Amino acid sequence: MSEVVTKATLAKTTTGILAGLTTDQKNEALLIMADALQREAAAIISANAEDLERGRIGGTPESMLDRLALNESRIDDIAEGLRQIAELPDPIGDRLELLERPNGLTIEKLRVPLGVIGIIYEARPNVTVDAAGLCLKTGNAVVLRGGSSAISSNRKIVEVLHHALAETAMPQNALQLIEDPNRTSVDQMLKLNGLLDVIIPRGGSSLIQNVVMNATVPVIETGAGICHTYLDSSAVPEMAQAISLNAKAQRPSVCNSMETLLVHRDYAESNLLALAEVFKEANVELRGCPETLSLIPWALSATPEDYATEYNDYILNLKVVGDLDEALQHIAQYGTKHSECIVTEDTDTAARFLQEVDAAAVYHNASTRFTDGFEFGFGAEIGISTQKLHARGPMGLPALTSTKYKIYGHGQIRG
Amino acid sequence: MSEVVTKATLAKTTTGILAGLTTDQKNEALLIMADALQREAAAIISANAEDLERGRIGGTPESMLDRLALNESRIDDIAEGLRQIAELPDPIGDRLELLERPNGLTIEKLRVPLGVIGIIYEARPNVTVDAAGLCLKTGNAVVLRGGSSAISSNRKIVEVLHHALAETAMPQNALQLIEDPNRTSVDQMLKLNGLLDVIIPRGGSSLIQNVVMNATVPVIETGAGICHTYLDSSAVPEMAQAISLNAKAQRPSVCNSMETLLVHRDYAESNLLALAEVFKEANVELRGCPETLSLIPWALSATPEDYATEYNDYILNLKVVGDLDEALQHIAQYGTKHSECIVTEDTDTAARFLQEVDAAAVYHNASTRFTDGFEFGFGAEIGISTQKLHARGPMGLPALTSTKYKIYGHGQIRG
């Protein structure tokens, strides 16, 4: 048997035990895992140094190496993340419905774990701990397949966590790391129906598209965000400026940042140049439609391809539109159904925008950067779903659960 | 463009309008559709006669032809089904959460339509109307791909419904029928990411497996049911007999009927022969383990393959087990996570069974035949989900919805 099948099979053997653990047992395991990570920080940092060394030799850019690097303070943060997960309410066992039928049947709908969750992700080793913590808290077994660039860190982290689990009621086999660096191990996971109940990809759009287009296991699609902000004619310039700058430049590398600013013609004529100056100061490159170019001398010309690109960088597309309909049409054409914003003082216009834009999160007068499990108050986030099934938008612990009907009778049969 | 792409594209153009229809507008459309079906019954029956004629020439068995056949009374029932859907509460617009954040953001989680739903199904033309009604009621556009054996009936029904929609606020293009009888039209639908939001297969296990294994569009897996009933040592013989006979023989062709009866050794020794006599009278063929054979002279020997078969017929597997654990193990090995039942007077044993069996619906002292949207009181059913994502068990109208976050601010930006 391949590593993937062997480890997924081991993970599956633990699902019954996991589903029966109490909240206290699960929280205790998370706290012991957190302590172990801090106690073994030196060993983890030393394993991480191997990854960094390999990366340097391979010519990995410094910015990527920085995302990969672990130090004591980062390990403290990772451990603290586990402690925070332990403090969150446990959704497992929650009763979602209680139906009393005329024939005397009592039907309960309860939250249960999904079973075995496959996580396919890229470099950052903190995801290893974070994903493991969220899955185990919700009584799920987890099969992790991280990027090969972090393999030494991930292997050591999982070894530390396995040792920690030995002291707990949580079975060690509930946590599995696929170490095979070949792409074939990902391909195998994608087809593991019967062993994996769901796969959640975390990473760039090519990773996600590979999972979506090749998996036969159910997938929760996360991540890709071509987000827009629309400045209506009645937008207050100060607010419009603050929201659009925040949406673009506060952290351009993330999926909820803005890629395109749509501006009503009336607003553009009076205010776009001043706004462009603000972006210039923030080192944001501007690419615009012909009308934009006539208002902003230093803007470059935007192609249709630009409007379809998730830059994740200090680059912003601009487009002047004649009315709300033109803005809605542009978003329908280029948006990825992630996060979309309107800035306006007109509540009717805002209501139409929020109703008609088809996206996980639609904002009136607030930055799209708020689409985030922590900002929504969920206390955790496994990702941001951009699909419509199961979960949509930021996914907290309940997104890692399924349901089960328990039916209580006293001999009822169907007539 | 192929028929599939053309029609799915047309369907997608209507999603904005559909999402904005009021409940009254949607219900009015459903009632007008129902009236039209009855008014045009003669034309539909005449189209159906073409399907029946083709089936007879092709040697379709009478039982299949009966499922395909329409007459005035069946059309009345189909129309009545639409009127019942009109009477159900509309889930669209329901507010599922309201979060007030410390920074003053108000976050609403609302039910919205999924968008465009693809339904791939087999012969019965009533599914055409039923699926259309459920999808339209929830503000979804629908692309139907029925079996080629019912193509004349389906074409006429959809023509009648399209004419009816012309009088309503519901766009005609929201309802599309794929007429291409080739398998390639199914293959195309399965890969229509961006145009279809979900595919729901309805039919036999080979149809469902084809969809699950080949779709890149998200799927809700429905249907396959290898359901068990476990008679514990403390089961009351009268109840055990009534429940197991009902689960097997009340309607063997459906997915929630029982395929295997597990019997505790103590119960088997005193009661299995009497129970077997009851199944004999009901013309149920019995296949059993060696211990069963020693108790029931006329039982045939069951192979491991038998335990893995969904007969949908008057055949029942029997297995004598030593305890609850052996029963749980058998169900974990052969079950399809659909519906499982324990008959026992021991509440601790029942609680363990309901907790540890991993299935959509687990029963204590009631027939598995109750796993059904109508029996659960949902008033409708688009299918029974056997997967763990999105919906599990009988799917009523809320299973045909997604959610959307609307966020209201007054200039908030992320720090």
Side-chain angles (χ1 to χ4, degrees):
Chain A
M1 262 197 296
S2 72
E3 184 200 10
V4 168
V5 174
T6 304
K7 290 185 171 175
T9 304
L10 283 173
K12 195 175 162 68
T13 62
T14 68
T15 54
I17 298 167
L18 283 169
L21 293 179
T22 65
T23 302
D24 284 347
Q25 287 173 317
K26 291 184 283 189
N27 291 343
E28 194 200 5
L30 293 172
L31 297 177
I32 288 175
M33 286 162 63
D35 293 345
L37 288 174
Q38 288 180 299
R39 205 171 48 236
E40 300 292 335
I44 294 168
I45 291 165
S46 144
N48 182 246
E50 294 171 26
D51 288 329
L52 292 171
E53 172 72 10
R54 226 177 31 252
R56 257 182 222 106
I57 292 168
T60 306
E62 274 306 315
S63 65
M64 291 291 286
L65 291 176
D66 178 62
R67 294 172 65 160
L68 176 58
L70 292 175
N71 53 37
E72 215 158 310
S73 137
R74 284 189 177 179
I75 291 174
D76 287 347
D77 287 348
I78 291 172
E80 193 48 36
L82 284 179
R83 295 191 184 101
Q84 282 171 14
I85 294 171
E87 275 173 29
L88 292 175
D90 181 0
I92 299 302
D94 281 357
R95 185 197 275 169
L96 302 179
E97 283 176 44
L98 180 64
L99 309 166
E100 301 280 356
R101 301 298 303 148
N103 60 6
L105 285 181
T106 298
I107 303 178
E108 265 190 324
K109 185 179 187 178
L110 301 167
R111 274 205 197 278
V112 298
L114 284 166
V116 185
I117 299 177
I119 311 265
I120 297 174
Y121 58 106
E122 286 169 341
R124 298 186 179 225
N126 62 311
V127 175
T128 306
V129 179
D130 190 42
L134 293 167
C135 291
L136 296 177
K137 169 81 183 203
T138 41
N140 293 291
V142 60
V143 178
L144 299 166
R145 207 297 192 173
S148 54
S149 58
I151 186 65
S152 301
S153 315
N154 288 339
R155 201 185 280 136
K156 174 54 76 177
I157 287 170
V158 170
E159 185 191 315
V160 168
L161 296 179
H162 272 162
H163 278 292
L165 288 178
E167 305 168 41
T168 74
M170 179 91 70
Q172 289 175 304
N173 279 325
L175 171 60
Q176 298 290 341
L177 176 73
I178 303 302
E179 301 184 17
D180 178 355
N182 293 308
R183 165 86 175 257
T184 51
S185 64
V186 171
D187 297 341
Q188 275 186 296
M189 280 180 74
L190 300 183
K191 311 281 185 193
L192 228 51
N193 300 61
L195 287 177
L196 298 184
D197 292 286
V198 57
I199 289 176
I200 304 176
R202 285 181 61 165
S205 69
S206 74
L207 181 150
I208 291 166
Q209 279 310 302
N210 176 45
V211 170
V212 168
M213 299 311 285
N214 294 299
T216 52
V217 173
V219 170
I220 303 180
E221 186 173 353
T222 66
I226 297 179
C227 303
H228 302 78
T229 301
Y230 169 53
L231 307 181
D232 186 36
S233 56
S234 71
V236 174
E238 197 175 35
M239 187 194 289
Q241 189 173 301
I243 287 176
S244 46
L245 185 66
N246 187 259
K248 176 71 256 179
Q250 193 249 351
R251 198 171 165 204
S253 64
V254 292
C255 60
N256 57 20
S257 64
M258 169 176 64
E259 306 299 355
T260 297
L261 183 67
L262 303 167
V263 187
H264 190 285
R265 184 160 296 123
D266 296 347
Y267 186 91
E269 282 166 5
S270 325
N271 304 293
L272 191 56
L273 186 59
L275 183 55
E277 297 281 1
V278 173
F279 280 114
K280 193 180 188 182
E281 273 171 51
N283 292 313
V284 175
E285 177 185 317
L286 300 179
R287 304 186 185 176
C289 63
E291 217 167 323
T292 304
L293 302 187
S294 73
L295 294 166
I296 309 172
W298 65 89
L300 306 173
S301 180
T303 64
E305 209 185 333
D306 288 331
Y307 289 118
T309 300
E310 186 180 4
Y311 296 120
N312 285 338
D313 202 349
Y314 288 88
I315 306 172
L316 176 68
N317 300 315
L318 288 165
K319 189 178 178 190
V320 175
V321 297
D323 56 17
L324 175 63
D325 287 308
E326 200 182 337
L328 292 172
Q329 208 182 323
H330 183 97
I331 292 171
Q333 186 175 353
Y334 292 105
T336 53
K337 302 189 196 308
H338 191 298
S339 299
E340 308 292 352
C341 165
I342 184 170
V343 182
T344 183
E345 293 300 298
D346 184 320
T347 50
D348 288 347
T349 304
R352 250 198 83 197
F353 184 92
L354 297 195
Q355 164 66 23
E356 296 189 19
V357 170
D358 183 17
V362 283
Y363 291 82
H364 177 207
N365 291 349
S367 168
T368 54
R369 287 280 295 110
F370 287 109
T371 304
D372 175 284
F374 295 91
E375 293 295 333
F376 275 35
F378 300 165
E381 180 186 283
I382 188 80
I384 295 171
S385 165
T386 52
Q387 68 179 36
K388 292 188 181 177
L389 282 193
H390 188 69
R392 196 178 192 202
M395 296 189 289
L397 293 178
L400 294 178
T401 68
S402 183
T403 60
K404 176 186 198 171
Y405 287 104
K406 290 188 182 177
I407 302 103
Y408 303 89
H410 44 265
Q412 281 89 340
I413 59 171
R414 190 156 165 191
Chain B
M1 264 197 295
S2 71
E3 185 200 8
V4 168
V5 174
T6 304
K7 289 186 171 175
T9 304
L10 283 173
K12 194 174 164 66
T13 62
T14 67
T15 54
I17 298 167
L18 283 169
L21 292 180
T22 65
T23 302
D24 284 348
Q25 287 173 317
K26 291 184 283 189
N27 290 344
E28 194 199 5
L30 293 171
L31 297 177
I32 288 175
M33 286 161 63
D35 292 346
L37 288 173
Q38 287 180 300
R39 204 171 48 237
E40 299 294 334
I44 294 168
I45 291 166
S46 145
N48 182 247
E50 294 171 26
D51 288 330
L52 292 171
E53 173 72 11
R54 224 175 35 250
R56 256 182 224 107
I57 292 168
T60 306
E62 272 307 314
S63 65
M64 293 289 286
L65 290 177
D66 178 61
R67 294 171 66 161
L68 176 58
L70 292 175
N71 55 37
E72 213 156 315
S73 137
R74 285 188 177 180
I75 291 174
D76 287 347
D77 287 348
I78 290 171
E80 194 48 36
L82 283 180
R83 294 190 185 104
Q84 282 171 14
I85 294 170
E87 274 172 31
L88 292 174
D90 181 0
I92 299 302
D94 282 356
R95 183 196 275 169
L96 303 179
E97 284 176 44
L98 180 64
L99 309 166
E100 301 280 357
R101 302 297 303 147
N103 60 5
L105 285 181
T106 299
I107 303 178
E108 265 190 326
K109 185 179 186 178
L110 300 167
R111 274 205 198 278
V112 297
L114 284 166
V116 185
I117 299 177
I119 311 265
I120 297 175
Y121 58 106
E122 286 169 339
R124 296 183 182 228
N126 60 311
V127 175
T128 306
V129 180
D130 190 41
L134 293 167
C135 291
L136 297 177
K137 169 80 182 202
T138 41
N140 292 291
V142 60
V143 179
L144 299 166
R145 205 302 191 169
S148 55
S149 58
I151 185 64
S152 302
S153 314
N154 288 341
R155 201 184 281 136
K156 175 53 76 179
I157 287 170
V158 170
E159 185 191 315
V160 168
L161 296 180
H162 271 163
H163 278 293
L165 289 178
E167 305 168 42
T168 74
M170 179 91 69
Q172 289 175 304
N173 279 326
L175 171 61
Q176 298 290 340
L177 176 73
I178 303 302
E179 300 185 16
D180 178 355
N182 292 308
R183 165 85 174 256
T184 49
S185 64
V186 171
D187 296 342
Q188 276 187 293
M189 281 179 74
L190 300 183
K191 311 280 186 195
L192 227 51
N193 300 62
L195 287 176
L196 298 184
D197 292 286
V198 57
I199 289 177
I200 304 176
R202 286 182 61 164
S205 68
S206 73
L207 180 150
I208 292 166
Q209 279 311 302
N210 176 45
V211 170
V212 168
M213 299 312 286
N214 294 301
T216 53
V217 173
V219 170
I220 303 180
E221 186 173 352
T222 66
I226 297 179
C227 304
H228 302 77
T229 301
Y230 169 52
L231 307 181
D232 186 36
S233 56
S234 72
V236 174
E238 197 175 35
M239 189 194 288
Q241 189 174 303
I243 287 176
S244 45
L245 184 66
N246 187 259
K248 176 71 254 180
Q250 193 248 352
R251 199 171 164 205
S253 64
V254 292
C255 59
N256 58 19
S257 64
M258 169 175 64
E259 306 299 353
T260 297
L261 183 67
L262 302 167
V263 187
H264 190 284
R265 183 160 296 123
D266 296 347
Y267 186 92
E269 282 165 5
S270 326
N271 303 294
L272 192 54
L273 186 60
L275 183 55
E277 297 281 3
V278 172
F279 279 114
K280 193 179 186 183
E281 273 170 50
N283 292 313
V284 174
E285 177 185 317
L286 300 179
R287 304 186 185 177
C289 63
E291 218 168 320
T292 304
L293 302 188
S294 73
L295 294 165
I296 309 172
W298 66 89
L300 306 173
S301 181
T303 64
E305 210 186 333
D306 287 332
Y307 289 118
T309 300
E310 185 179 5
Y311 296 119
N312 286 336
D313 203 350
Y314 288 87
I315 306 172
L316 176 67
N317 299 315
L318 288 165
K319 188 179 178 189
V320 176
V321 296
D323 56 18
L324 175 63
D325 286 308
E326 200 181 336
L328 292 172
Q329 207 181 322
H330 182 96
I331 292 170
Q333 187 175 352
Y334 292 105
T336 53
K337 302 189 196 308
H338 190 298
S339 299
E340 308 292 352
C341 165
I342 184 171
V343 182
T344 184
E345 292 301 298
D346 184 320
T347 50
D348 288 348
T349 304
R352 251 198 81 198
F353 184 92
L354 296 196
Q355 165 66 22
E356 295 188 20
V357 169
D358 182 19
V362 284
Y363 291 83
H364 177 208
N365 291 348
S367 167
T368 54
R369 286 281 293 112
F370 286 109
T371 304
D372 175 284
F374 295 92
E375 293 295 333
F376 275 35
F378 300 165
E381 180 187 284
I382 188 80
I384 295 170
S385 164
T386 52
Q387 68 179 35
K388 292 187 180 178
L389 283 193
H390 187 70
R392 196 178 191 202
M395 295 190 288
L397 293 178
L400 295 178
T401 68
S402 183
T403 60
K404 175 187 200 172
Y405 288 104
K406 291 188 181 178
I407 301 105
Y408 303 89
H410 44 266
Q412 282 88 341
I413 59 171
R414 191 157 165 190

